[in-house]
Amino acid sequence: PLRYLCKLRNLVKKEAEKNKSQWKTMGPAKVAVPSPNDFLQKRSKEPKLAPKKKEEDGKKLLPLSVPPRTYQPVTRIKKNFINKNAVAVMTGEPKKPRHFCVDTRQGDKYLLEPSGLFPKYIRKKNYGVLPKYVTRRNEELKREEEEYQASVLEQLKKKAMKALSEEERTNVLKALKKNWEEINHAYQGLPIVTDTSYKKLQKEELELKLKQLEHDIAAIEKHKCVYIANV
């Protein structure tokens, strides 16, 4: 059978030959040879100045800024430095003597102040004075301590014990006795035979309540002054 041939085969060949550049895969490219007259001349690469402007259409150029002959420059006043220095010495404060230290027999000496032997720092005005940040921090700590103490006192006042009056004490005692009578009545109504776990638990619970009430009644009757803490 005949093989398949594309209808656009010839068009593709023409486009390929048209777009193919010469000397692309073989041999050097054709480049124009430079002319021998275009040789590099001396100072040809130096920047060229613009030509001077000439008078055009009757217009005159501005004259140069040259001072006239009658111009007299301002001369400086001569100062007498000798008298000036003499006045400065007479009116100025005398220099303080500098402290030296001699450490050899040949008289070699050096300044005492930068050596560390001169008591320089202890003579400062702020020597031994606490820095500002330390005093500020101490004040903050003191204020925090006062606030903490005030809060502790307030908590203690809230939790302070309160003494019951005689009327309140008698009312509490009556209420406890009444409660004991009710629980005792319930305890007396229990069955004699406790054969189940529920009956045993109920009996033990009532006995514990009676013991606690008897203990509280005895404590209140024994002590005349009773204090209650505000928890």
Side-chain angles (χ1 to χ4, degrees), residues 204-222:
E204 291 176 359
E205 186 179 356
L206 292 175
E207 288 176 353
L208 289 174
K209 289 182 179 180
L210 288 172
K211 287 181 180 179
Q212 184 64 37
L213 288 170
E214 289 173 359
H215 178 269
D216 294 341
I217 291 168
I220 293 174
E221 287 179 348
K222 183 178 179 181

Side-chain angles (χ1 to χ4, degrees), residues 120-131:
K120 178 180 179 181
Y121 296 98
I122 61 174
R123 293 185 179 179
K124 287 186 175 181
K125 293 181 179 180
N126 57 352
Y127 179 77
V129 180
L130 285 175

Side-chain angles (χ1 to χ4, degrees), residues 12-29:
V12 171
K13 284 185 177 181
K14 288 181 180 179
E15 288 183 356
E17 291 177 358
K18 182 180 179 181
N19 296 330
K20 186 176 179 181
S21 59
Q22 297 179 355
W23 312 104
K24 185 174 183 180
T25 58
M26 190 176 189

Side-chain angles (χ1 to χ4, degrees), residues 155-209:
Q155 293 294 331
L156 291 175
K157 287 180 180 179
K158 289 180 180 179
K159 295 180 180 180
M161 301 183 72
K162 177 184 177 183
L164 290 177
S165 62
E166 187 63 25
E167 185 180 356
E168 291 176 346
R169 177 176 169 274
T170 53
N171 293 334
V172 171
L173 192 58
K174 288 179 181 179
L176 289 174
K177 287 181 180 181
K178 184 179 180 181
N179 193 9
W180 182 87
E181 289 176 357
E182 291 176 356
I183 295 173
N184 188 29
H185 184 268
Y187 181 75
Q188 294 296 331
L190 291 174
I192 298 172
V193 180
T194 56
D195 52 352
T196 60
S197 60
Y198 174 73
K199 292 178 181 180
K200 290 180 181 179
L201 291 174
Q202 190 177 9
K203 183 178 180 181
E204 291 176 359
E205 186 179 356
L206 292 175
E207 288 176 353
L208 289 174
K209 289 182 179 180

Side-chain angles (χ1 to χ4, degrees), residues 68-196:
R69 293 183 179 181
T70 56
Y71 175 74
Q72 294 182 0
V74 178
T75 56
R76 294 183 178 180
I77 301 173
K78 293 183 179 180
K79 295 183 180 180
N80 193 348
F81 293 99
I82 298 175
N83 294 337
K84 184 180 179 181
N85 293 337
V87 171
V89 170
M90 287 186 291
T91 56
E93 296 181 358
K95 292 184 178 180
K96 295 182 180 180
R98 305 179 73 182
H99 300 276
F100 290 93
C101 179
V102 180
D103 58 349
T104 60
R105 291 184 299 174
Q106 285 77 16
D108 296 334
K109 60 182 180 179
Y110 58 89
L111 289 174
L112 189 62
E113 185 175 353
S115 65
L117 302 174
F118 188 75
K120 178 180 179 181
Y121 296 98
I122 61 174
R123 293 185 179 179
K124 287 186 175 181
K125 293 181 179 180
N126 57 352
Y127 179 77
V129 180
L130 285 175
K132 293 183 178 180
Y133 73 94
V134 176
T135 54
R136 184 168 59 253
R137 185 178 62 185
N138 292 338
E139 290 176 358
E140 291 177 357
L141 291 174
K142 186 178 180 181
R143 184 170 61 255
E144 290 177 359
E145 184 67 21
E146 291 177 354
E147 291 177 356
Y148 174 73
Q149 293 294 338
S151 63
V152 169
L153 289 174
E154 188 176 356
Q155 293 294 331
L156 291 175
K157 287 180 180 179
K158 289 180 180 179
K159 295 180 180 180
M161 301 183 72
K162 177 184 177 183
L164 290 177
S165 62
E166 187 63 25
E167 185 180 356
E168 291 176 346
R169 177 176 169 274
T170 53
N171 293 334
V172 171
L173 192 58
K174 288 179 181 179
L176 289 174
K177 287 181 180 181
K178 184 179 180 181
N179 193 9
W180 182 87
E181 289 176 357
E182 291 176 356
I183 295 173
N184 188 29
H185 184 268
Y187 181 75
Q188 294 296 331
L190 291 174
I192 298 172
V193 180
T194 56
D195 52 352
T196 60

